[in-house]
Amino acid sequence: MAAIDNIFGAIPAQVLSQFGQDITYIKTTTPRTYNPTSGAVTGSDTNVTVKGIISQINSSENEGVYQTSDLSVLIGAEELGNYYPTQADRIQYTQAGSTVQAKIISIRTYRGDEPIYHSLVVRPQ
């Protein structure tokens, strides 16, 4: 186990449990298929409740590729186990009493030997 795992591994879970809000992480577990005749999309999802911190993102970050509605979401790796987020996945969260679904557009995982936390950029749909 790397030193970063021993020193920093438990910190995200502690911070997120105290300051995070409940987020539904939607894993796309089977490939999506599209039937052009019927317009139906098939495939299944797995929902996992995680704690996360959602914050605004500056649209000028990353050479201006983000929209003003994009958000930064920090989630711990502990709830996802050895699963790494993908851009096919989505999140759901509550904002002003409404449920909002957002598409993941960028993923950065911070790790030693094991993932410690994931930093996502999401775009509300």
Side-chain angles (χ1 to χ4, degrees), residues 48-102:
V48 178
T49 301
V50 299
K51 289 284 191 181
I53 297 175
I54 301 174
S55 60
Q56 296 291 330
I57 195 166
N58 187 335
S59 61
S60 65
E61 290 181 45
N62 197 22
E63 300 179 13
V65 299
Y66 298 131
Q67 297 178 3
T68 56
S69 61
D70 291 346
L71 300 168
S72 173
V73 179
L74 300 177
I75 60 173
E78 192 172 298
E79 293 100 337
L80 295 179
N82 61 357
Y83 182 83
Y84 282 80
T86 70
Q87 290 182 340
D89 299 340
R90 302 171 313 284
I91 66 164
Q92 276 186 344
Y93 59 95
T94 303
Q95 180 179 13
S98 298
T99 300
V100 178
Q101 191 167 117

Side-chain angles (χ1 to χ4, degrees), residues 16 25 53 55 57 61 66 71-77 80 85 87 104-111 115-122:
L16 292 170
Y25 188 91
I53 297 175
S55 60
I57 195 166
E61 290 181 45
Y66 298 131
L71 300 168
S72 173
V73 179
L74 300 177
I75 60 173
L80 295 179
Q87 290 182 340
I104 297 172
I105 60 172
S106 177
I107 305 158
R108 194 173 275 161
T109 297
Y110 296 89
R111 58 174 289 133
I116 295 174
Y117 73 95
H118 306 285
S119 175
L120 312 173
V121 175
V122 301

